[in-house]
Each structure stands twice: as structure tokens, then as C-alpha cells.
Amino acid sequence: MRKNNLLKYDNKIIRVLDLKDNEALVIDCIKRTMPVWVCCSELINYSDCTEQELLDITNAEVTDIESVDAVSKKIAHERYTLIAGVLPFISDKKVRSCLISKTAENNNISKQTIRHYMCLYLAYQNLSVLAPKALPKTDELTEDEKNMRWALNKFFYSKNKNTLTTAYTLMLKEKYCDSAGILAKEYPSFYQFRYFYRKHKKLQTYYISRNGLKNYQRNNRPLLGDGIQEFAPSVGVGMLDATICDIYLVNEAGGVVGRPILTACVDAYSGLCCGYALTWEGGMYSLRNLMINIISNKAARCKKFGISISEKEWDCDKLPATFVTDMGSEYKSSNFEQITELGVTVINLPSYRPELKGSVEKFFDVIQGLFKPLLKAKGVIEPDYQERGAHDYRKDACLTIEAFEKIILHCIIYYNNKRIVKNFPYTEEMLSAQIKPYASSIWEWGKLQPGANLIDVDTSKLVLSFHGNSNFPIET
């Protein structure tokens, strides 16, 4: 008996993987269960077996790995990589189980999958058995199936948004009725039509054909990639956006003015709100005020509204070195591009990719979720404000923009210092430093780490880079 021998007894074939004293480590090549140690005396009745006999009994196909196609070869090598670290310890059951569990966890697959690949390889001792089996060629469509496919493309996958029943009825009319409108004796049932649809349906085709490509990209497109992590490995990546607040405000005389625009910059790494601007106008006007607010002293700003905070509660007085924006006209304008002269990099995201600036989107959601329940019947609008017969929320307006800004400041302070940042990728250094799960705490720690990229800018230089004229009125 030698190592790697195949032995056969009745309908059972085993392979000897290792020998130790009077024991042999064997694997059942038919059932392909995990290897076990057995006494050599138990294998007396076994006789030698050839590799071809094993292939004939198991109906397996083993070829040279170089002869398979490139895709299958790649998959085979990937699967072998999963088990390569376990194979040297195959004889030690405890270590083997531990390594299988660790490999499964690291690669996000089941332990049973690792065991399956390992037993398959050990049974045949050939890399090609790990390659995926070629799928059988699909048969050609029958005439009825061709008619079903035609009806789905013409009547169901269209902007008319016909139901499946309507598409089936129209198919019968066009393909199974004569000129007099008499239905043929033989035709597919609705259940066959529905089965064909479910078998071949693709949600991407469904959404694009019925709702249009833009609607699909905005509402139904799958979210792929790491999102924010691609842009924000450290402090210094500011995400810019603006939203119309869900509240009507009045002027000093009590007349309704409208809904203010909140523009914000949120650090994508920590989630800290670096600055904001609350204005009646959007575009470059609010963007200039936002930049000034980012580098201003936040404690002094809050003091003007009667709010007392410490420097560490909102310690941001430098520009992020990278700005991530959408395709808004103000972000693509030549005025805003001049900020790059200060060393700032501007990244314009493609259309319909709000998840790539999820930090600022979440900021708006949290801020409005904080003040709306407390300001009901004071001008806050509800989701039904555009519906016919809905309440006119403008009649409830009673706050001026100055009063509302004080409320916004309280919300931002809470957002920065009290809101728990969930699912943040804490490192061992952060845990040992006992960094609290708040945006301000993560920001303070992140500023001191390698890779933090913040630019110290003077206010006059910032204004000139935007406008070229320092006399332009700026809110402070």
C-alpha cells in the first residue's frame, strides 16, 4: 500500500492520502466525504484500482487543465486557491476544520462549498475537476414560443404598460385568428404564456421598456461598488449638495416668502457637516456662502444665534481637498472651477448616482427628520402637499429665515455630536483610543491621521477665487 493508491472493494473505491504507523488516511471517491483515518488491517480485502475504473464508475471527465477554455480554467484555479491552504493540514481534523471555517468566512462562501471542492480534488487528484461543467445547449424555440416572444416584445415590454393578460389576448388575435377573427383549434394557453414569460423575464428589460432608461437609472438600477469608500479613505473629501427645505417661511412683515434652500458640505469619511448655507437663492450665491461658512469659526457663528458650543463640537475651519458633486450647473460652472486654483480637486459624479454621495443625502434626511415633527402646523409641508384638495401649508407659515436658521443650527450640532454613526469601519487603533461613534469624534481623530487632506485658506483668497471681486456681499 502506497500513498495516493486507489483501492477497490465491491462498489466502493477509496484513495489513500496519507500513511502513519498502522493507519491510513482515506477518502471515499464515490461518496466524496471528508477523509478519515482507518486501520490498515481494515483494508486487507481491498484490491488495486486504476484511475480509468474510477472515471468509468463515477462518469467523470478528467482532462488536462490546459485543454479547457480560459474562463473555466480561471474558475478552476480560483477554486483551488480556496482549498490550497487547507490541503497541507488534511490529516489533522481539528486544524483542517478551523482552516475551512476561516477560509469560508474570509471569502463569504459556505463551509460546505469548501469541503465539496476539497473532496472533489482529493478524489481525482486533478485540477480540471474543479472547472465548471459545460451547460447543455438550449434547444431552439418552437413556433408557439417564437409567437410568445414576439407578443411579449410587442405588447408587454412597451410604454403602453399592458398587462400580461392583455398581451396574451393580442397575441391570439394577431397569430392564432384568421381574417374572420375565428380562433384556431390549437393555441397555447395563458398558463403556457405566463410560464414562458417567467422563465425568460429580466427585470432590467421590464423596467427600461415600460418606464424608460432614465427612470431605470434613477430608481431601479442596482447599486454596485463600494460607493462612498471609493472616494473617502480618509478625512478631506467633502460631498456637496443642496435641497429645498420642507417648510414655508415668512419675512419680517409676516408675508409668505417661500421655501429656503439648504446647501451643505459633509465629510464623507466621518459624516461631519463641514459647513452649510441657508439662503433663498440657490446656485453660485449659496455655494459662495457655503465655502465661507466651511472655513469660518463655527462657535462664533453659533454665538450670534444665542447658541453656545465649544470649539471641539464643530472644529472645522479648513476646506476639504476634494469636493464630490453631482452634475448641477453651478458645480460645472467656470466660477466654481476656479476653486481648483487653491489646490482643491472637484469630482463631478455621473447622472443618477446619488449613492456615491450618500453622506450628504443622509444628512438632509436626518436634518429634516429632526425639525419636521417639532414644527408641524408652523409651515412644514407633508407628502400630500401637491395633491388636489390638500391643505395649503403656506397659511401655517410663521417663522422667519433667521428663526429657522437657529433651528437648523441646533439640528446640525445634534447631527455632529449626538447622532451615532452606524456601520463605521472602526480600526483597532480607533478602538484602543476609545473614539466615540459620533461624527465630531471621528473627525477629530481623522484629522490627525496620515492621509487627512485639508487646505488652510484665507477668506479673502477664497472669495477672489470664486468671484474676482472681494466687494461681493457674502453672508457671515
Side-chain angles (χ1 to χ4, degrees):
M1 184 186 302
R2 297 190 307 275
K3 191 175 179 179
N4 208 34
N5 266 17
L6 281 175
L7 302 176
K8 178 182 178 182
Y9 178 69
D10 289 338
N11 294 324
K12 187 175 182 180
I13 297 178
I14 62 173
R15 185 184 293 275
V16 179
L17 300 176
D18 198 6
L19 294 169
K20 182 178 67 174
D21 298 334
N22 196 34
E23 291 183 320
L25 181 68
V26 300
I27 182 172
D28 190 329
C29 297
I30 307 296
K31 296 181 179 178
R32 292 197 286 274
T33 53
M34 294 295 288
V36 293
W37 286 98
V38 297
C39 292
C40 293
S41 58
E42 298 179 17
L43 307 178
I44 295 177
N45 295 327
Y46 282 79
S47 59
D48 289 340
C49 176
T50 64
E51 298 285 349
Q52 189 59 44
E53 285 183 90
L54 173 62
L55 298 179
D56 293 339
I57 292 175
T58 58
N59 294 320
E61 294 183 7
V62 176
T63 60
D64 184 10
I65 188 62
E66 299 299 329
S67 63
V68 300
D69 61 273
V71 176
S72 298
K73 182 179 178 181
K74 176 178 177 291
I75 295 174
H77 281 289
E78 288 175 347
R79 291 176 176 177
Y80 181 77
T81 302
L82 293 173
I83 64 174
V86 186
L87 292 177
F89 306 94
I90 194 68
S91 58
D92 191 327
K93 183 178 179 181
K94 186 175 181 180
V95 176
R96 181 180 71 198
S97 299
C98 182
L99 289 173
I100 290 174
S101 300
K102 189 174 181 180
T103 303
E105 182 180 354
N106 291 342
N107 294 276
N108 197 26
I109 57 177
S110 67
K111 292 185 285 187
Q112 186 58 34
T113 301
I114 302 292
R115 296 191 191 101
H116 171 70
Y117 293 155
M118 186 170 63
C119 292
L120 194 63
Y121 176 77
L122 291 173
Y124 296 99
Q125 297 288 310
N126 193 300
L127 192 60
S128 65
V129 296
L130 296 178
K133 294 182 178 179
L135 296 176
K137 294 183 179 179
T138 56
D139 298 329
E140 292 186 3
L141 296 178
T142 64
E143 191 63 31
D144 285 342
E145 288 175 333
K146 289 180 181 179
N147 291 336
M148 293 179 195
R149 183 179 62 183
W150 173 84
L152 287 171
N153 291 336
K154 185 173 180 62
F155 303 120
F156 185 74
Y157 294 121
S158 68
K159 292 186 178 180
N160 293 332
K161 299 183 180 180
N162 293 321
T163 63
L164 208 59
T165 307
T166 303
Y168 171 72
T169 304
L170 293 172
M171 179 191 72
L172 296 182
K173 177 184 176 183
E174 295 291 337
K175 295 294 184 179
Y176 295 93
C177 290
D178 57 19
S179 58
I182 299 175
L183 188 63
K185 292 183 179 180
E186 294 184 2
Y187 57 89
S189 67
F190 173 73
Y191 301 103
Q192 290 175 302
F193 184 75
R194 185 175 63 184
Y195 173 79
F196 181 84
Y197 160 70
R198 290 177 176 175
K199 183 179 178 181
H200 297 90
K201 73 174 181 179
K202 293 182 180 179
L203 286 178
Q204 183 183 33
T205 304
Y206 175 85
Y207 289 123
I208 293 176
S209 61
R210 294 170 73 90
N211 301 322
L213 179 60
K214 288 187 177 181
N215 183 277
Y216 168 77
Q217 291 177 328
R218 184 169 60 248
N219 301 321
N220 305 111
R221 172 181 48 79
L223 304 181
L224 306 175
D226 296 329
I228 293 173
Q229 296 301 323
E230 297 178 1
F231 294 101
S234 59
V235 163
V237 180
M239 296 191 167
L240 309 181
D241 206 355
T243 189
I244 302 175
C245 297
D246 293 340
I247 187 172
Y248 284 105
L249 303 179
V250 298
N251 55 23
E252 297 294 338
V256 177
V257 180
R259 296 165 59 185
I261 295 174
L262 177 63
T263 310
C265 172
V266 176
D267 179 66
Y269 178 78
S270 63
L272 182 95
C273 175
C274 300
Y276 77 98
L278 188 68
T279 57
W280 292 118
E281 301 178 29
M284 290 304 303
Y285 178 75
S286 61
L287 205 51
R288 276 188 286 261
N289 284 285
L290 170 64
M291 296 298 123
I292 296 297
N293 186 270
I294 291 174
I295 64 173
S296 65
N297 187 301
K298 306 302 190 300
R301 174 75 175 177
C302 292
K303 191 174 183 180
K304 292 181 179 180
F305 290 86
I307 303 172
S308 178
I309 63 171
S310 64
E311 294 287 345
K312 286 191 175 182
E313 288 183 86
W314 200 348
D315 188 15
C316 177
D317 57 0
K318 298 178 182 178
L319 281 181
T322 303
F323 282 141
V324 179
T325 70
D326 54 26
M327 298 296 285
S329 58
E330 65 271 27
Y331 303 119
K332 297 190 297 180
S333 66
S334 57
N335 283 342
F336 185 64
E337 288 178 356
Q338 292 178 33
I339 199 172
T340 58
E341 297 175 3
L342 301 174
V344 176
T345 301
V346 179
I347 299 176
N348 292 109
L349 298 176
S351 302
Y352 310 117
R353 296 304 301 268
E355 79 280 2
L356 294 181
K357 52 181 179 67
S359 295
V360 69
E361 300 285 356
K362 184 63 178 179
F363 168 78
F364 290 135
D365 182 54
V366 172
I367 293 299
Q368 301 217 82
L370 289 173
F371 74 75
K372 286 178 70 174
L374 304 175
L375 299 181
K376 284 189 175 182
K378 290 181 172 59
V380 167
I381 64 173
E382 301 294 342
D384 66 344
Y385 80 101
Q386 287 184 326
E387 295 181 8
R388 180 179 296 180
H391 176 70
D392 188 355
Y393 297 102
R394 291 174 295 183
K395 296 179 180 179
D396 301 332
C398 60
L399 295 175
T400 63
I401 193 167
E402 290 78 14
F404 181 63
E405 185 167 358
K406 183 177 181 179
I407 296 171
I408 289 292
L409 278 170
H410 278 292
C411 294
I412 294 176
I413 293 168
Y414 172 85
Y415 177 89
N416 286 341
N417 298 280
K418 298 298 181 182
R419 172 181 170 268
I420 295 177
V421 181
K422 298 181 180 179
N423 302 322
F424 185 83
Y426 275 89
T427 63
E428 292 183 4
E429 293 180 6
M430 297 180 71
L431 293 174
S432 61
Q434 297 184 348
I435 304 302
K436 295 181 180 179
Y438 304 132
S440 57
S441 301
I442 298 172
W443 166 268
E444 288 296 322
W445 180 85
K447 288 195 305 181
L448 305 176
Q449 303 308 307
N453 201 355
L454 300 171
I455 300 175
D456 193 0
V457 182
D458 183 70
T459 304
S460 59
K461 289 184 179 180
L462 181 61
V463 174
L464 288 172
S465 68
F466 260 99
H467 187 258
N469 182 2
S470 59
N471 293 324
F472 184 81
I474 299 290
E475 290 185 4
T476 57

